[in-house]
Amino acid sequence: REWKQSGPAVEEREKKITWGKDGAKMVLIPAGSFMMGSDAGGSDEKPVHRVELDEFYMDSREVTNGQYGVFMEQTGHRKPRYWNDTKYNQTNQPVVGVDWNDAVAYAKWAGKRLPTEAEWEYAARGGLAGKRYPWGDEGATAEKANYGRNVGKPAVVGSYPANGYGLYDMAGNVWEWCQDW
């Protein structure tokens, strides 16, 4: 996903926009605070702490192979690891096999940036405070997320219900890069 924080004054901002460079549909994530992390998670998720964020825009869906292909054509950037594998390279699947530098290059080309980890976690929760998943605390099911190889390949972008902010596929499907650790 790619993100952009600057833009029109707060009162003038649209809730949903289409970003010109890559055609991504973007959603305005409201400013707010949340408890970040998990005491039940790994050492990198502890301790749980309060984080305050300004509003920011975020792509409503993962970057597709189609979008990434345009980026490669216009910049000459190298192909991702699985670009020629039919299990991973369908136009409407999320791009996979990119490293952090590739993700940063795409974001820069598009005139955006990667989210911070705090922004990503806040947006993924979709406005639900203290819940484990974008839909609540109930465990993942095949109807809610692509996980544990239940599909066997990355699902088409936007295959699962949107969270409370209108963001799709925020749990499962593919890993996503953040600006920081």
Side-chain angles (χ1 to χ4, degrees), residues 133-147 150 159-161 169-172:
Y133 299 103
W135 54 81
D137 285 330
E138 309 84 45
T141 65
E143 292 75 36
K144 294 179 181 174
N146 180 13
Y147 69 98
N150 63 331
S159 290
Y160 298 94
D169 307 324
M170 293 304 290

Side-chain angles (χ1 to χ4, degrees), residues 36-115:
M36 181 176 174
S38 170
D39 286 330
S43 61
D44 62 332
E45 298 177 65
K46 298 174 185 173
V48 174
H49 58 285
R50 178 168 296 284
V51 175
E52 299 269 343
L53 294 170
D54 293 331
E55 66 181 5
F56 57 94
Y57 281 105
M58 180 173 171
D59 286 11
S60 65
R61 299 165 193 257
E62 299 153 319
V63 174
T64 65
N65 286 317
Q67 291 169 302
Y68 202 82
V70 171
F71 157 67
M72 290 189 311
E73 288 173 15
Q74 290 185 7
T75 64
H77 197 83
R78 70 175 184 85
K79 292 179 182 176
R81 182 174 177 187
Y82 303 105
W83 193 253
N84 295 319
D85 186 332
T86 58
K87 188 175 180 179
Y88 301 101
N89 71 359
Q90 303 308 302
T91 303
N92 56 357
Q93 284 178 307
V95 66
V96 297
V98 296
D99 65 20
W100 184 84
N101 292 308
D102 297 328
V104 168
Y106 178 90
K108 184 176 179 182
W109 165 80
K112 303 176 189 179
R113 65 172 175 82
L114 296 178

Side-chain angles (χ1 to χ4, degrees), residues 14-31:
E14 298 289 328
K15 298 277 185 210
K16 296 180 181 181
I17 63 172
T18 300
W19 196 252
K21 185 78 174 199
D22 64 359
K25 305 292 184 200
M26 299 183 81
V27 177
L28 183 63
I29 308 301

Side-chain angles (χ1 to χ4, degrees), residues 110-129:
K112 303 176 189 179
R113 65 172 175 82
L114 296 178
T116 65
E117 182 180 5
E119 288 169 333
W120 192 94
E121 185 174 331
Y122 177 70
R125 291 171 186 249
L128 298 179

